[in-house]
Amino acid sequence: MDASLEKIADPMLAEMGKNLKEAMKMLEDSQRRTEEENGKKLISGDIPGPLQGRIQNIGEQGHMALLGHSLGAYISTLDKEKLRKLTTRILSDTTLWLCRIFRYENGCAYFHEEEREGLAKICRLAIHSRYEDFVVDGFNVLYNKKPVIYLSAAARPGLGQYLCNQLGLPFPCLCRVPCNTMFGSQHQMDVAFLEKLIKDDIERGRLPLLLVANAGTAAVGHTDKIGRLKELCEQYGIWLHVEGVNLATLALGYVSSSVLAAAKCDSMTMTPGPWLGLPAVPAVTLYKHDDPALTLVAGLTSNKPTDKLRALPLWLSLQYLGLDGIVERIKHACQLSQRLQESLKKVNYIKILVEDELSSPVVVFRFFQELPGSDPVFKAVPVPNMTPSAVGRERHSCDALNRWLGEQLKQLVPASGLTVMDLETEGTCLRFSPLMTAAVLGTRGEDVDQLVACIESKLPVLCCTLQLREEFKQEVEATAGLLYVDDPNWPGIGVVRYEHANDDKSSLKSDPEGEKIHAGLLKKLNELESDLTFKIGPEYKSMKSCLYVGMASDDVDAAELVETIAATAREIEENSRLLENMTEVVRKGIQEAQVELQKANEERLLEEGVLRQIPVVGSVLNWFSPVQALQKGRTFNLTAGSLESTEPIYVYKAQGAGVTPPPTPSGSRTKQRLPGQKPFKRSLRGSDALSETSSVSHIEDLEKVERLSGGPEQITLEASSTEGHPGAPSPQHADQTEAFQKGVPHPEDDHPQVEGPESLR
């Protein structure tokens, strides 16, 4: 590297080459040194301060690119003549290397930070080339004959608007060419329709100016038929510009015919920074034109040395990597794509969208479950005779599942660089583009194998969830008190909302009572320790609280799940009503008790007389003639909600059992589970551990235990009811009978205490 600098005989440049050589030596030294003060290990070249340890590992070639920016600032301090010679040499060398690497003969290069800026400059050059009087008359020339720029429908979003804003053209100057609908890829430009559009524009007095083709679309990496488009552009005098990630394969030994045709186009835009893992490296637009004056007017060339220094980071990086290093990185990315594509072909329920292009370095796939005789794009659940609305709903379900799968894979295999995207026709898909990510993330073949293994591990969860969605919806719609909420963004089994008694169905505002019920429902369901996950949140189209049921990893009994949700929510609502009404009931009971106690006190005063109320006289009368008065009070039964007298308590010295509270409501379809079986699981289905005979015997044993467990409770209830019945025998007689049955003589001179319901139990 310093040898190229020494060709310019100047002591300052020689010194700069020496310093650059020392910087290279520092970057190549990757050994770790130990700090003596605190014993911490630091990597050579770490940035001190808050950025230390927070920047990604960019490698030695990345450090070289970053060094180019600092070196450019240093070079800009040279005198004008030396700066002009050095910058011209750097620009010419970089242009020559890029043209040779990517098979673009006799081309010029424009380096720019904004990736779309190069295309805007090319459009200016095309306008100056086709409109000779544009420099003099300006936009009056364009008004008489409007230019037309043709863009593919698969072009990157916002490209047409950016060009119009930069060129000052109205939006009618853009013509969007649709993609193929009958033959070929659905992401390739329709050449026949393009030719028809060109003829129509010529008949209307317009000028077809420029066509933007794709060598790897921004979405799925498909390549247009560039050879056919080149012939069409030569026929009508249209400037052909090509862009896309597949242009990187021009550096390989074997290139597909569609991509190889891009080497004959009028201009192309490339992004070598992501391809080679180089940070802060500008994009490059290669073009062919013979008039330097027009390129200067269009802004593609500049006389300022500082503009030429944009190529310095790329100039250093290309020399550091060399031709073999550049080809090896691009080849490695293409091999990763082929490896993933071949592996996914063997995986069920995974559809690859780039199967027709074996040379594409982009792999786009999605999860789907195809039904025989159905559209693989939309059909996902084996439900026969589905309506169009159901088809759309199931497509949204598949999109939600693919988004969930993409998020899971990005967390499990972060080195894969997967991205989740939404396509207009196919829906939500996953994209693997190692040319844009592998050099930066360091993706290896082992990461691709791990990615495939993670996909296979998630497929059973996706299939079970997808099959249970329709069954869950039918069970919810058939259950009173539950409302099925159609949320297309939820990847789980479904969303359900419990409609309580005071629920306003027409309102979209939040419901505090409903939120309280759903919060209690979530707590109860999580206590069951099932394999399902639950969460609460607002409804998709309103602010009302709902219960979200997560993914299912095994066969789930949807009927039992819905029954449990409904019964638990109903129980929570009833308990909530009881707590809310208890304050009012107790308040009324206290008021009623105070009134009755006041009446009883007045009656006692009338019975005892006025003299007994005088302090001294009353004491004398009570001493001569005591009053035998019963202690009267009031007791409030919360279960029955009634006010009772305390006289039986003082007479019998025991409190009655009162009314037995009603049993806790439970689902009518709640079933007994086998030992070790978790909630909401279908029993006797696909189980290899239990045979049919053993399973039946387990069920019979559970039924016997259930019948026996109900005995003591029935005896207790009968004992309690017998005590409270008017015609029932006395407790003493009951004790004598019990003692006689046990064979123990009951002494007649003893007076046993009366036993309450607790002793009977």
Side-chain angles (χ1 to χ4, degrees):
M1 182 184 302
D2 53 349
S4 62
L5 293 174
E6 289 173 357
K7 293 181 181 180
I8 304 176
D10 190 281
M12 185 174 294
L13 295 182
E15 183 181 358
M16 183 185 68
K18 181 180 178 181
N19 295 335
L20 182 59
K21 186 176 181 179
E22 294 178 357
M24 288 278 297
K25 185 178 180 180
M26 293 175 59
L27 291 173
E28 291 174 356
D29 185 13
S30 60
Q31 297 180 354
R32 297 183 178 181
R33 65 176 183 267
T34 306
E35 190 175 3
E36 298 180 356
E37 297 180 357
N38 52 11
K40 294 184 178 180
K41 294 182 179 180
L42 295 177
I43 300 177
S44 177
D46 273 355
I47 298 178
L51 294 180
Q52 186 172 0
R54 298 186 180 183
I55 60 175
Q56 60 183 359
N57 184 17
I58 57 180
E60 295 179 0
Q61 74 281 354
H63 285 287
M64 185 58 62
L66 296 177
L67 181 62
H69 291 275
S70 301
L71 190 59
Y74 176 73
I75 293 175
S76 63
T77 60
L78 299 176
D79 58 82
K80 294 183 179 180
E81 185 62 24
K82 296 176 182 179
L83 182 60
R84 183 187 63 81
K85 292 180 180 180
L86 181 58
T87 54
T88 303
R89 179 61 181 274
I90 293 175
L91 180 62
S92 60
D93 287 349
T94 310
T95 302
L96 179 61
W97 296 338
L98 290 174
C99 291
R100 288 181 178 180
I101 292 173
F102 296 103
R103 308 185 184 192
Y104 197 78
E105 299 178 357
N106 301 325
C108 302
Y110 172 67
F111 300 90
H112 46 93
E113 302 296 335
E114 167 62 52
E115 187 176 346
R116 300 172 295 181
E117 183 182 351
L119 179 56
K121 301 292 185 181
I122 291 296
C123 290
R124 292 183 186 275
L125 178 60
I127 291 175
H128 284 283
S129 301
R130 297 298 301 273
Y131 295 92
E132 298 179 356
D133 299 333
F134 180 73
V135 179
V136 179
D137 297 336
F139 285 94
N140 291 329
V141 180
L142 303 181
Y143 179 78
N144 297 329
K145 200 171 187 179
K146 297 180 181 179
V148 182
I149 300 175
Y150 299 94
L151 297 175
S152 172
R156 70 179 103 176
L159 181 59
Q161 183 179 1
Y162 173 82
L163 293 177
C164 289
N165 293 336
Q166 293 295 320
L167 301 173
L169 297 177
F171 288 130
C173 292
L174 294 177
C175 181
R176 188 168 294 273
V177 183
C179 297
N180 295 325
T181 56
M182 299 297 296
F183 305 99
S185 171
Q186 297 182 353
H187 299 273
Q188 290 180 343
M189 190 182 302
D190 192 340
V191 181
F193 197 85
L194 171 62
E195 186 174 6
K196 180 179 180 299
L197 292 175
I198 293 174
K199 292 179 180 179
D200 293 342
D201 290 333
I202 294 176
E203 292 177 358
R204 296 176 183 177
R206 298 180 178 180
L207 177 63
L209 180 66
L210 184 138
L211 170 65
V212 181
N214 292 306
T217 56
V220 298
H222 286 201
T223 302
D224 294 328
K225 300 176 182 178
I226 300 179
R228 180 72 181 92
L229 294 176
K230 178 60 179 176
E231 297 175 359
L232 196 63
C233 290
E234 291 178 350
Q235 180 181 353
Y236 293 98
I238 303 175
W239 186 289
L240 178 60
H241 180 84
V242 182
E243 60 179 16
V245 68
N246 292 354
L247 291 175
T249 59
L250 289 171
L252 303 178
Y254 172 77
V255 187
S256 63
S257 57
S258 58
V259 178
L260 187 60
K264 305 297 182 181
C265 65
D266 298 310
S267 61
M268 64 170 65
T269 298
M270 301 182 300
T271 55
W275 300 347
L276 305 177
L278 304 175
V281 169
V284 184
T285 296
L286 301 179
Y287 62 95
K288 297 178 182 179
H289 202 270
D290 299 331
D291 193 345
L294 292 181
T295 58
L296 181 62
V297 173
L300 290 171
T301 57
S302 175
N303 295 326
K304 297 180 180 180
T306 53
D307 294 338
K308 298 179 181 180
L309 282 176
R310 294 177 182 174
L312 181 58
L314 190 57
W315 181 78
L316 291 174
S317 301
L318 293 179
Q319 289 195 89
Y320 178 81
L321 292 173
L323 179 61
D324 295 337
I326 295 172
V327 174
E328 181 62 28
R329 289 176 180 271
I330 298 176
K331 184 178 180 181
H332 174 68
C334 295
Q335 289 175 349
L336 292 177
S337 297
Q338 295 299 321
R339 187 170 185 169
L340 178 62
Q341 185 174 344
E342 294 298 328
S343 300
L344 290 181
K345 287 181 180 179
K346 304 175 184 178
V347 181
N348 296 328
Y349 309 119
I350 295 295
K351 179 178 177 59
I352 306 176
L353 303 181
V354 204
E355 280 185 337
D356 55 337
E357 298 191 12
L358 299 178
S359 60
S360 175
V362 181
V363 180
V364 179
F365 61 95
R366 73 190 303 266
F367 162 77
F368 86 108
Q369 192 170 353
E370 184 177 0
L371 183 67
S374 63
D375 186 0
V377 175
F378 298 103
K379 287 291 185 179
V381 177
V383 180
N385 302 325
M386 297 180 67
T387 61
S389 60
V391 171
R393 183 173 62 252
E394 298 310 329
R395 174 185 172 174
H396 290 306
S397 300
C398 277
D399 291 346
L401 293 177
N402 279 283
R403 281 191 292 269
W404 177 85
L405 177 62
E407 296 298 329
Q408 293 291 319
L409 295 178
K410 286 194 294 184
Q411 295 178 3
L412 296 174
V413 193
S416 63
L418 276 181
T419 56
V420 182
M421 60 179 182
D422 294 326
L423 300 180
E424 183 178 358
T425 305
E426 290 83 1
T428 303
C429 301
L430 307 181
R431 178 177 58 194
F432 177 70
S433 182
L435 262 177
M436 303 298 292
T437 60
V440 178
L441 299 177
T443 310
R444 302 175 300 172
E446 293 78 5
D447 298 325
V448 175
D449 297 339
Q450 183 183 0
L451 179 64
V452 176
C454 292
I455 293 175
E456 292 177 345
S457 65
K458 298 298 180 182
L459 285 179
V461 180
L462 295 171
C463 294
C464 289
T465 302
L466 204 53
Q467 293 174 358
L468 287 170
R469 274 177 170 264
E470 191 66 24
E471 183 181 357
F472 179 79
K473 178 185 178 183
Q474 294 176 0
E475 292 291 340
V476 171
E477 292 177 347
T479 304
L482 296 182
L483 176 65
Y484 181 81
V485 179
D486 191 5
D487 190 346
N489 298 324
W490 178 246
I493 296 178
V495 185
V496 63
R497 178 161 62 88
Y498 178 74
E499 295 182 322
H500 54 88
N502 301 326
D503 189 6
D504 188 3
K505 300 180 181 180
S506 60
S507 176
L508 300 179
K509 298 181 180 179
S510 59
D511 184 13
E513 183 177 355
E515 293 179 359
K516 184 178 180 181
I517 294 176
H518 285 92
L521 177 61
L522 176 64
K523 182 179 179 181
K524 292 287 186 181
L525 293 176
N526 289 333
E527 291 175 354
L528 297 179
E529 297 182 355
S530 65
D531 292 337
L532 294 175
T533 57
F534 304 93
K535 61 174 291 188
I536 59 174
E539 191 179 341
Y540 175 64
K541 297 181 179 179
S542 68
M543 298 302 295
K544 292 186 176 181
S545 180
C546 297
L547 178 69
Y548 290 80
V549 185
M551 310 287 289
S553 59
D554 201 351
D555 198 4
V556 176
D557 191 349
E560 182 185 358
L561 173 62
V562 174
E563 184 88 18
T564 304
I565 293 175
T568 307
R570 198 177 301 115
E571 177 185 354
I572 294 174
E573 183 185 11
E574 293 176 357
N575 294 338
S576 177
R577 288 183 181 178
L578 178 61
L579 292 177
E580 291 177 357
N581 297 333
M582 185 173 295
T583 302
E584 183 66 21
V585 172
V586 171
R587 185 181 64 82
K588 292 182 179 180
I590 292 175
Q591 293 178 355
E592 184 179 354
Q594 290 177 349
V595 172
E596 293 187 1
L597 290 176
Q598 185 177 1
K599 292 182 179 179
N601 190 24
E602 293 177 356
E603 293 177 358
R604 184 177 63 84
L605 291 176
L606 293 177
E607 292 178 358
E608 296 177 357
V610 180
L611 294 178
R612 292 182 181 271
Q613 308 305 321
I614 301 174
V616 179
V617 179
S619 300
V620 175
L621 291 177
N622 290 332
W623 184 73
F624 284 105
S625 176
V627 178
Q628 301 295 332
L630 295 176
Q631 299 179 2
K632 295 182 180 181
R634 295 293 182 270
T635 178
F636 185 73
N637 193 331
L638 294 177
T639 304
S642 60
L643 194 66
E644 301 175 357
S645 176
T646 58
E647 185 176 356
I649 297 177
Y650 295 106
V651 172
Y652 299 105
K653 294 182 173 56
Q655 188 172 359
V659 180
T660 304
T664 303
S666 60
S668 60
R669 301 173 64 175
T670 302
K671 59 183 181 182
Q672 294 289 342
R673 291 190 294 271
L674 298 176
Q677 182 182 358
K678 291 188 176 183
F680 315 130
K681 297 291 184 183
R682 297 184 192 270
S683 60
L684 303 178
R685 191 174 200 183
S687 177
D688 299 332
L690 296 176
S691 62
E692 182 179 359
T693 306
S694 61
S695 301
V696 173
S697 63
H698 276 297
I699 295 177
E700 292 178 353
D701 294 341
L702 290 174
E703 291 178 353
K704 292 179 180 180
V705 171
E706 183 180 4
R707 288 195 299 268
L708 292 176
S709 62
E713 294 179 3
Q714 295 177 0
I715 295 174
T716 303
L717 293 176
E718 290 176 359
S720 300
S721 60
T722 303
E723 180 186 0
H725 197 275
S730 62
Q732 180 178 0
H733 178 72
D735 293 341
Q736 294 176 358
T737 305
E738 183 179 359
F740 178 76
Q741 291 177 354
K742 293 182 179 180
V744 179
H746 183 73
E748 295 180 357
D749 53 346
D750 294 337
H751 298 279
Q753 296 181 354
V754 179
E755 296 181 356
E758 299 297 335
S759 62
L760 291 178
R761 288 195 181 92

